[in-house]
Amino acid sequence: MEKKPFVSLEKLREIAEKFPTPFYLYDEKGIRENAEKVKAAFAWNPGFREYFAVKATPNPFILKILKEYGCGTDCSSMTELMMSDACGFRGHEIMFSSNDTPPEEFKFAHDLGGIINLDDITHIRCVEETLGFIPETISCRYNPGGVFTMSNGIMDNPGDAKYGMTTEQIFEAFRILKEKGAKRFGIHAFLASNTVTNEYYPILAGTLFELAVKLQRETGAKVAFINLSGGVGVPYRPDQEPNDIMAIGEGVRRAYEKILVPAGMNDVAVYTEMGRFMLAPYGCLVTRAIHEKHTYKEYIGVDACAVNLMRPAMYGAYHHITVMGKEQSPCDHRYDVVGSLCENNDKFAVDRMLPEIAMGDLLVIHDTGAHGYSMGYNYNGKLKSAELLLKENGEFQMIRRAETPGDYFATFDFCNVMDKYR
Ligand SMILES: *Cc1c(COP(=O)(O)O)cnc(C)c1O
């Protein structure tokens, strides 16, 4: 499928007059339409809730939009819990799916009324010692081990992942938790990442539903919800077929009818913790070509770098690039599109065929709405960009300002050595 930016060159020029590149731009209309679709896809399950994975796009303005569609938040840290609280998420609207968890974070999550999802059987003792009791509602993360494969060859390797409990452990955990007073149980698993197939959730649901039936039968623990976690992907490459969330919801419904209903478990709520699917296509990184270099290869230097978007450097991830205003020009130039870090992996594209790029051209780097800005760091003393929201009426709003040198030097505020630049 052809990848088109959600913003016109004219609008981008208007924005860039006010906010210097690079910046992140989010598409409010796209976010809303997609959130509505997710809601519709699982409307057959009265208890359904999408807990948006905050780590994907930790911005209060974004969280508040998703909240309007009934979303909760899935948190993995103290600050994500704080952001959820500040945005008005209450009680069971907060899921705490962390791992290697500091005890004080269990405490804070519980104080907010959030649901604690235990990554490991040893965390039972940690939670009990920290809180003084076991919460009545509690969830356990499952890891079946081995290799997880789907019919289109997509696979992931749960056996090699640090997350979750083994089959034996989750049965034991349910028994212990029940004995210690837990009353409503959840099961959670994340077995494959960025799956671009409608099969993933239905297959995962089948596995978890069967496990739930066995767990409830053998331990007597009441399974109240099953959390399919994240992992629903987006087509980063133009030749990929996007997921159909309605088909995914329907696939999960079929597994529910086949496995849970006959077992008398027709009151189980289905939860999801999607991050990427909720936001990735509805954000882009906008950058400008500032240098061209002709050595052993052709390079285009842009004003963004891996600090703004780490996925290509970290995973060799593909992000489609549109040279704005040249959509109809032939892609007859082979470029490495690079940032300014003193790291040779700071490349947004390698050997990419693109239209001829002129200095000053605006480039849109697609599908950066999730795991984009949030993964950023400050290597080379580079500062993180602003985040902007393109509203449905065409107005744009700053939803995070760009970092300043003062932010970078803020952790020296106990002494006066950097005062000159603050
Ligand atoms: C990262 C993560 C998610 C979101 O994953 P996506 O691939 O963005 O959907 C959900 N749940 C947990 C526990 C995670 O670690």
Side-chain angles (χ1 to χ4, degrees), residues 263-396:
M265 296 170 68
N266 59 358
D267 57 349
V268 173
V270 173
Y271 294 163
T272 56
E273 294 175 341
M274 292 181 280
R276 196 184 313 269
F277 187 79
M278 299 305 287
L279 250 302
Y282 315 111
C284 63
L285 174 59
V286 180
T287 184
R288 203 183 281 281
I290 57 170
H291 290 289
E292 56 188 316
K293 175 166 174 164
H294 319 279
T295 53
Y296 305 103
K297 294 182 93 173
E298 294 297 302
Y299 294 98
I300 294 294
V302 295
D303 58 7
C305 63
V307 161
N308 307 108
L309 175 66
M310 202 180 188
R311 297 186 72 257
M314 188 150 163
Y315 310 118
Y318 180 96
H319 280 271
H320 199 66
I321 294 177
T322 298
V323 183
M324 293 303 287
K326 298 188 175 169
E327 290 85 341
Q328 307 310 323
S329 310
C331 292
D332 54 2
H333 283 64
R334 185 186 299 271
Y335 291 120
D336 280 15
V337 179
V338 306
S340 56
L341 295 191
C342 306
E343 279 288 342
N344 198 41
N345 66 0
D346 184 15
K347 297 183 175 184
F348 292 116
V350 175
D351 293 328
R352 184 79 57 91
M353 296 309 292
L354 291 167
E356 183 168 19
I357 295 173
M359 295 306 89
D361 277 355
L362 287 168
L363 274 60
V364 161
I365 304 181
H366 291 250
D367 302 316
T368 61
H371 311 297
Y373 180 94
S374 59
M375 255 189 206
Y377 57 130
N378 279 119
Y379 195 50
N380 276 202
K382 295 282 176 178
L383 304 177
K384 295 172 82 181
S385 79
E387 292 184 294
L388 311 172
L389 181 67
L390 182 62
K391 314 261 265 186
E392 289 179 280
N393 63 7
E395 287 171 11
F396 47 93

Side-chain angles (χ1 to χ4, degrees), residues 159-340:
D160 204 31
K162 66 172 176 169
Y163 310 108
M165 308 182 196
T166 67
T167 309
E168 225 175 44
Q169 287 171 338
I170 199 167
F171 278 85
E172 182 66 11
F174 267 49
R175 284 194 193 96
I176 297 170
L177 289 165
K178 184 164 179 271
E179 206 180 280
K180 293 183 183 293
K183 296 205 160 46
R184 297 175 72 254
F185 288 74
I187 309 171
H188 168 282
F190 191 151
L191 303 187
S193 195
N194 190 31
T195 56
V196 189
T197 158
N198 295 333
E199 259 186 345
Y200 171 62
Y201 262 2
I203 293 176
L204 171 67
T207 304
L208 292 185
F209 293 166
E210 276 168 15
L211 176 68
V213 172
K214 279 193 206 140
L215 276 168
Q216 186 160 309
R217 270 200 196 129
E218 290 183 25
T219 68
K222 164 79 190 140
V223 177
F225 58 89
I226 288 167
N227 185 343
L228 303 176
S229 186
V232 178
V234 299
Y236 286 102
R237 292 174 183 272
D239 59 358
Q240 286 176 303
E241 188 69 29
N243 284 334
D244 175 353
I245 195 67
M246 293 310 289
I248 290 174
E250 175 57 20
V252 174
R253 190 189 65 78
R254 266 190 243 124
Y256 194 100
E257 297 288 333
K258 190 172 148 220
I259 302 163
L260 287 182
V261 174
M265 296 170 68
N266 59 358
D267 57 349
V268 173
V270 173
Y271 294 163
T272 56
E273 294 175 341
M274 292 181 280
R276 196 184 313 269
F277 187 79
M278 299 305 287
L279 250 302
Y282 315 111
C284 63
L285 174 59
V286 180
T287 184
R288 203 183 281 281
I290 57 170
H291 290 289
E292 56 188 316
K293 175 166 174 164
H294 319 279
T295 53
Y296 305 103
K297 294 182 93 173
E298 294 297 302
Y299 294 98
I300 294 294
V302 295
D303 58 7
C305 63
V307 161
N308 307 108
L309 175 66
M310 202 180 188
R311 297 186 72 257
M314 188 150 163
Y315 310 118
Y318 180 96
H319 280 271
H320 199 66
I321 294 177
T322 298
V323 183
M324 293 303 287
K326 298 188 175 169
E327 290 85 341
Q328 307 310 323
S329 310
C331 292
D332 54 2
H333 283 64
R334 185 186 299 271
Y335 291 120
D336 280 15
V337 179
V338 306
S340 56

